[in-house]
Amino acid sequence: MKIIGTGSALPKKVVSNEALSDFFETNDEWITQRTGIKTRRIITDERFEDIATEAAARAIDNAGLCPDDIDYIICSNVSNLYITPHLSSIIQGNLGIKGPQCPTFDVNSACVGFVYALDLCDALISTGRAHHILLVAAEECTRFCDWSDRNCSVLFGDGAGAVVLGAGEGFKLCHLTSTPMPDVIVYRNPMEATPFERGEGIDTHHALEMKGREVFRMAVTSAVRDIRQITEDAGLSLDNIDHFLLHQANLRINEAIRDNLRQPEEKFPTNVQRYGNTSSASIPLLLDEGVHEGRIKRGDTILMSAFGAGFVTGTAIIKY
Ligand code: UT7
């Protein structure tokens, strides 16, 4: 499998750290020092599915294909407006792909969904069951936040990244892990209460809850472990990697990983300062930016590494 096209899309509204102090007690200094985040994009008068579709359309165009060339669509998200239908079938409709010979399904592996889905795409393409897969990672994380609680709301932003995948020699190795720790990052389903309980007026309002410090520690430890392991398994040294595309949750997490690996800063592109944590969209957004700005070139070796709720991690090495 190889990546043949990339695309991304973001909501128009840019929200600064200063603007968040309208909602709760916080300030630019605290957010910048602890996370590196300065602004985030938030969906307001747009629709989530349109942002996802725009990223998808750009990736198809960048691949030099038309929507009908796509024969499989997979979407990574945890924030689709509907529990069903899944977002990839909505994107299919928006792109005008009539089907029926174009299966669609969604993946929920939180912030690692894009890397998990890449591994699935490789299985489908290498066995000839799909020729051109559209993989979209689209997230509206700000919908999960309690906008009266400063702990989580300052961290997240909305956005979408997409790739088109086809047969080729690009995908070198993938290493996925899962360690059951169900309480470190949690977003409960609003349907959790039974209809009877809802009838009794039980509060079913839920927002994202996170054990920030624990996640921080696990993120650094697991990323360093996974990155060292996968490069060794691939018979590469860290110096052979041209770009480290790390999940963008917190600049300090990524600096700690980089310091441990002793690799130069220019190999670690970032966008968390501008977009906040866009969950599984953060890596394909970085990829698309790097490609369009000419920093990521054909033949470069890319290492992707993400961590997220579960606790899951995913690391992949790809020749672009
Ligand atoms: O993809 C999802 C992955 N999630 C993550 O990657 C999150 C990983 N964790 C982190 O990034 C950090 O733990 C945070 C940025 C979430 C928090 O940083 P921290 O250094 O661990 O701070 P803390 O939670 O220990 O809070 C320190 C202080 C507390 O005040 P006291 O108790 O010391 O008086 C908080 O109440 O900072 C306070 N605080 C805030 N102050 C201003 C918490 N949030 C804010 C805020 N503005 N937004």
Side-chain angles (χ1 to χ4, degrees):
M1 181 180 80
K2 67 175 183 188
I3 296 171
I4 55 179
T6 68
S8 62
L10 291 154
K12 285 188 300 296
K13 183 145 186 85
V14 179
V15 178
S16 68
N17 290 343
E18 288 83 1
L20 294 182
S21 54
D22 291 347
F23 294 90
F24 34 68
E25 199 186 320
T26 190
N27 56 71
D28 175 54
E29 194 190 354
W30 190 97
I31 302 172
T32 306
Q33 275 179 6
R34 306 277 174 140
T35 71
I37 299 166
K38 297 298 273 182
T39 58
R40 70 281 297 140
R41 301 292 187 96
I42 297 188
I43 293 177
T44 49
D45 54 356
E46 296 128 322
R47 288 192 312 173
F48 173 51
E49 67 184 63
D50 293 337
I51 304 280
T53 305
E54 202 178 326
R58 287 181 180 158
I60 295 169
D61 189 54
N62 182 249
L65 300 175
C66 62
D68 281 329
D69 295 322
I70 300 297
D71 57 5
Y72 220 115
I73 305 177
I74 300 176
C75 187
S76 158
N77 73 89
V78 284
S79 47
N80 185 20
L81 196 55
Y82 312 102
I83 287 172
T84 192
H86 48 292
L87 187 56
S88 44
S89 74
I90 296 172
I91 294 171
Q92 178 192 19
N94 290 349
L95 290 170
I97 303 172
K98 288 200 183 65
Q101 281 85 21
C102 179
T104 61
F105 69 90
D106 287 9
V107 169
N108 172 352
S109 287
C111 303
V112 195
F114 181 75
V115 182
Y116 262 66
L118 272 181
D119 196 36
L120 267 170
C121 292
D122 180 53
L124 291 167
I125 286 179
S126 60
T127 52
R129 280 144 76 193
H131 296 99
H132 292 128
I133 305 181
L134 170 65
L135 169 58
V136 187
E139 304 284 11
E140 189 178 1
C141 308
T142 61
R143 189 182 283 279
F144 294 165
C145 299
D146 174 351
W147 287 92
S148 62
D149 170 20
R150 64 185 183 177
N151 286 307
C152 283
S153 313
V154 302
L155 304 174
F156 292 97
D158 306 329
V163 290
V164 175
L165 302 153
E169 292 292 311
F171 196 67
K172 298 293 174 207
L173 211 54
C174 190
H175 182 56
L176 307 177
T177 77
S178 181
T179 310
M181 299 185 77
D183 61 344
V184 287
I185 307 175
V186 186
Y187 179 67
R188 289 172 208 285
N189 192 321
M191 293 196 315
E192 189 184 47
T194 65
F196 172 74
E197 287 169 332
R198 287 199 289 269
E200 294 291 302
I202 285 181
D203 181 14
T204 55
H205 167 78
H206 294 300
L208 191 76
E209 298 158 36
M210 185 167 60
K211 295 185 176 163
R213 295 212 156 185
E214 206 171 330
V215 175
F216 193 113
R217 271 194 303 276
M218 282 163 43
V220 176
T221 316
S222 60
V224 170
R225 175 200 67 200
D226 291 351
I227 292 170
R228 289 193 181 283
Q229 183 70 53
I230 198 171
T231 41
E232 193 186 319
D233 291 350
L236 299 172
S237 81
L238 293 171
D239 295 339
N240 297 133
I241 307 294
D242 298 305
H243 312 277
F244 291 87
L245 305 189
L246 306 185
H247 170 45
Q248 303 285 297
N250 181 327
L251 203 58
R252 283 170 50 224
I253 292 179
N254 294 2
E255 284 167 357
I257 297 168
R258 195 184 75 217
D259 286 350
N260 192 295
L261 298 175
R262 295 197 170 78
Q263 286 290 301
E265 191 174 347
E266 57 271 21
K267 286 190 178 185
F268 293 77
T270 56
N271 62 28
V272 68
Q273 302 95 319
R274 287 169 286 141
Y275 308 148
N277 178 348
T278 53
S279 188
S280 70
S282 82
I283 289 180
L285 269 162
L286 275 182
L287 174 69
D288 188 49
E289 285 179 336
V291 168
H292 281 91
E293 289 165 12
R295 281 181 285 105
I296 298 179
K297 300 186 186 64
R298 287 285 169 199
D300 285 358
T301 301
I302 299 172
L303 186 149
M304 299 176 176
S305 171
F307 63 89
F311 186 82
V312 293
T313 71
T315 319
I317 295 181
I318 299 174
K319 209 164 194 61
Y320 177 64

